Amino acid sequence: MTPSQNPCKRRHPTPPPPSAASPAAPVALSLPGFVADRAEAAVRVERLLRYQFCDRALLEEALTHQSFSDGAFSYQRLEFVGDAALGLAFSNFLYLTNPTLGPGALSTLRAANISTEKLARVAVRHDLYPLLRRKCARLDLLVTRWLFEPVITAETVDEQPVTTLHELCQKHGKVAQFETWQKGGMTMVNVFVGGEMVGLGSSEQKVIAKLNAARDALGKLIGGAKQQVLINGIANGLVDEIVELRECKQKLTEQCIGKHWPKPIFKLEKEGGPAHERNFVCSVQVDTKTGTFVTIGDPMSRVKDAENSAAQKMVELLLKL
């Protein structure tokens, strides 16, 4: 396996270079070293993995970046096998440790944890990068700045920036929209709120690019340069009466009971998107003394949120009557 494919093992990590802990000009960064003794490099890997390779030539191939030999001899072919093996290993781990999660949620967890960026951080944290044969100054510079993030679990996945961003926008009567495009093999994602771009993210994987873009947008919307976007255009007579998204279904039900109307009827209208990015659209029907009304909510990552979105639109509609 390549350094970027090393599974995350619970060990005491090697501290990152001092330059990663505090900002500095690029010329002052302490670039990673290189272990020229290849026998020593092999021993370090075997010690870390607690595994002895039968064929160390394969290990040397796994420790060779394409920049070292113009791609003629590198870890790229092994990477094809390693990606599949790592995906299976993480699938097995998540399946056994999360017995109540469905395939969509499991796919999201797997994608978030086996991204290129995540695995690269693991390799750097375990001091594998100095063992890599390479001739890439840009990669060296990136390694000096990597931040190490924890494994994403079922308990924290809903705290990810995409969900938080949607909830923040809904609270202010706004809608966050994501625009995806490609640039040089990278997936680029722009975030728009109220027609204004508020965030940008990139990655080799779409789901990670979206997470990065949402994180960037949150930083700018909450006390940042774009916080005014949430305020502009919402100062009308209805806003003060619109409750938070997560309370809308309950609020609507209470309103119907208070007016002696039948309870609202919620229906799942649409379910779509890839496994790691499912979205749901729900409708709600309210029968009043003057007629029957139906509203359809915005696409949401959870059915509960989709129902609340439909309820929010119904609350707004009833306020106008």
Side-chain angles (χ1 to χ4, degrees):
M1 295 193 308
T2 72
S4 62
Q5 295 168 319
N6 180 45
C8 181
K9 294 194 173 185
R10 294 295 181 183
R11 303 179 185 277
H12 295 292
T14 299
S19 57
S22 57
V27 294
L29 291 174
S30 178
L31 297 179
F34 172 66
V35 178
D37 186 339
R38 304 315 295 165
E40 171 62 20
V43 169
R44 289 194 190 184
V45 174
E46 291 177 339
R47 185 185 304 127
L48 174 65
L49 299 179
R50 296 182 180 178
Y51 173 84
Q52 187 170 359
F53 287 84
C54 298
D55 185 358
R56 281 193 172 179
L58 285 175
L59 177 57
E60 185 69 352
E61 182 178 344
L63 292 174
T64 303
H65 190 261
Q66 57 263 34
S67 64
F68 187 79
S69 57
D70 298 323
F73 177 80
S74 71
Y75 59 60
Q76 288 183 307
R77 280 181 53 82
L78 290 176
E79 185 177 16
F80 171 76
V81 179
D83 285 344
L86 190 59
L88 177 60
F90 231 104
S91 296
N92 181 65
F93 170 76
L94 293 173
Y95 181 85
L96 294 176
T97 56
N98 299 275
T100 62
L101 293 186
L106 290 172
S107 296
T108 299
L109 286 174
R110 181 179 60 189
N113 281 292
I114 64 174
S115 70
T116 299
E117 291 89 343
K118 177 72 70 175
L119 298 177
R121 292 187 183 101
V122 171
V124 173
R125 183 171 61 190
H126 287 280
D127 207 24
L128 287 172
Y129 187 73
L131 312 182
L132 181 69
R133 300 197 300 172
R134 78 277 179 189
K135 294 179 181 177
C136 187
R138 179 178 176 273
L139 189 59
D140 286 344
L141 186 61
L142 286 174
V143 167
T144 65
R145 298 173 178 174
W146 272 334
L147 299 177
F148 310 131
E149 299 177 358
V151 170
I152 299 171
T153 67
E155 288 71 30
T156 62
V157 70
D158 284 335
E159 299 171 5
Q160 290 304 297
V162 175
T163 301
T164 305
L165 177 62
H166 280 306
E167 291 180 349
L168 176 66
C169 290
Q170 288 287 340
K171 181 178 179 180
H172 290 83
K174 300 286 186 177
V175 175
Q177 297 178 311
F178 293 82
E179 179 182 287
T180 303
W181 48 289
Q182 298 293 321
K183 180 181 179 181
M186 296 289 287
T187 298
M188 313 293 292
V189 177
N190 294 342
V191 183
F192 294 86
V193 174
E196 184 172 348
M197 194 177 82
V198 297
L200 173 66
S202 64
S203 174
E204 292 180 352
Q205 297 187 27
K206 180 180 177 181
V207 64
I208 304 302
K210 187 173 182 179
L211 290 173
N212 292 338
R215 187 180 293 112
D216 183 49
L218 284 171
K220 293 175 180 176
L221 291 171
I222 303 175
K226 297 293 184 179
Q227 58 181 330
Q228 194 65 26
V229 172
L230 294 176
I231 302 174
N232 292 340
I234 65 169
N236 56 63
L238 295 176
V239 173
D240 292 338
E241 299 186 53
I242 298 177
V243 295
E244 291 188 12
L245 175 64
R246 67 185 64 185
E247 300 174 358
C248 284
K249 182 177 180 180
Q250 179 182 349
K251 182 70 174 181
L252 178 61
T253 301
E254 292 174 352
Q255 184 174 350
C256 290
I257 293 175
K259 294 181 177 293
H260 303 289
W261 298 339
K263 289 185 177 181
I265 301 173
F266 290 88
K267 178 182 177 183
L268 179 62
E269 296 286 348
K270 182 180 179 182
E271 178 180 352
H276 64 273
E277 197 175 351
R278 302 297 288 174
N279 58 74
F280 307 90
V281 176
C282 288
S283 66
V284 61
Q285 174 181 318
V286 171
D287 297 312
T288 72
K289 295 180 180 179
T290 58
T292 299
F293 300 90
V294 177
T295 56
I296 298 178
D298 296 319
M300 292 291 168
S301 59
R302 298 184 298 182
V303 174
K304 180 172 67 174
D305 292 337
E307 290 178 340
N308 276 311
S309 178
Q312 182 188 51
K313 293 184 182 296
M314 180 61 73
V315 170
E316 294 175 0
L317 175 63
L318 295 175
L319 287 171
K320 297 177 182 179
L321 299 179

